[in-house]
Amino acid sequence: MIIPITVHVRESRVEEFYVRFAEFISDVPDASEPVRTASGTIPAWAVTDSAQSIADAFMKEVSFPGRRILHYMYEGAGKEAVRLRPTELAEKMGHPNGVSSIAGLLGGVGKAIRRVGLPMYRTPTGKTWHYIWDWDGEYYSMTPEMAKLLKKAAPR
């Protein structure tokens, strides 16, 4: 269903309005900005036509332990982001070094992100992040959108 909408725009800003409106209706994300969804934030590449091939290339670069930890994040995602504490991930993996190993393993996954050349985005706090998974200081999480891409890309 299409609803006609009338918008009043100052004459001096008509051109800018048309440019922004064209970006909006083209449904093409700004590659320099992550995409905000109802379930969380994802990288802009995740909503492009080449998203699956990018995810495939990324997962080929991730080590086996890195793929295992991502597996636990994407396997639990359904309609909502899965949220796991580092202790839960360490327990699921049966990792002998426990929680201290989780950040290290994800650091290795971060190196794969850089090897493939995936974009980093500026966060609201001014840091940079890739938005493949998120970390809020207590939980690691992955959106259903990223989970679906990575699950399909995971080597069998």
Side-chain angles (χ1 to χ4, degrees):
M1 174 194 251
I2 297 178
I3 302 169
I5 298 174
T6 302
V7 178
H8 298 274
V9 179
R10 287 192 179 127
E11 187 176 347
S12 63
R13 299 196 65 196
V14 169
E15 184 178 343
E16 178 187 3
F17 171 81
Y18 279 121
V19 168
R20 289 181 184 230
F21 184 68
E23 290 170 354
F24 171 75
I25 63 170
S26 69
D27 208 8
V28 176
D30 179 350
S32 67
E33 294 291 326
V35 176
R36 313 241 187 269
T37 68
S39 61
T41 303
I42 59 175
W45 62 261
V47 294
T48 65
D49 291 340
S50 55
Q52 195 59 60
S53 63
I54 293 170
D56 293 344
F58 164 64
M59 288 299 278
K60 286 178 184 168
E61 283 294 318
V62 178
S63 68
F64 177 73
R67 286 193 309 267
R68 277 188 64 216
I69 198 165
L70 290 174
H71 166 84
Y72 291 116
M73 283 194 248
Y74 67 64
E75 199 56 38
K79 292 183 181 187
E80 297 180 350
V82 66
R83 294 171 40 92
L84 296 164
R85 294 176 190 264
T87 52
E88 294 171 293
L89 281 169
E91 186 178 300
K92 286 178 180 288
M93 292 189 70
H95 205 288
N97 296 330
V99 173
S100 62
S101 65
I102 300 304
L105 288 171
L106 288 172
V109 176
K111 288 180 182 178
I113 289 167
R114 289 186 290 286
R115 280 194 302 273
V116 176
L118 296 181
M120 299 294 281
Y121 303 96
R122 183 95 24 223
T123 69
T125 61
K127 296 179 181 176
T128 57
W129 194 245
H130 48 72
Y131 292 108
I132 291 175
W133 71 85
D134 203 6
W135 166 248
D136 66 6
E138 189 174 348
Y139 291 94
Y140 290 105
S141 62
M142 184 177 289
T143 64
E145 296 88 353
M146 284 308 304
K148 182 178 177 184
L149 282 171
L150 296 185
K151 187 174 189 176
K152 189 173 180 184
R156 306 281 182 233

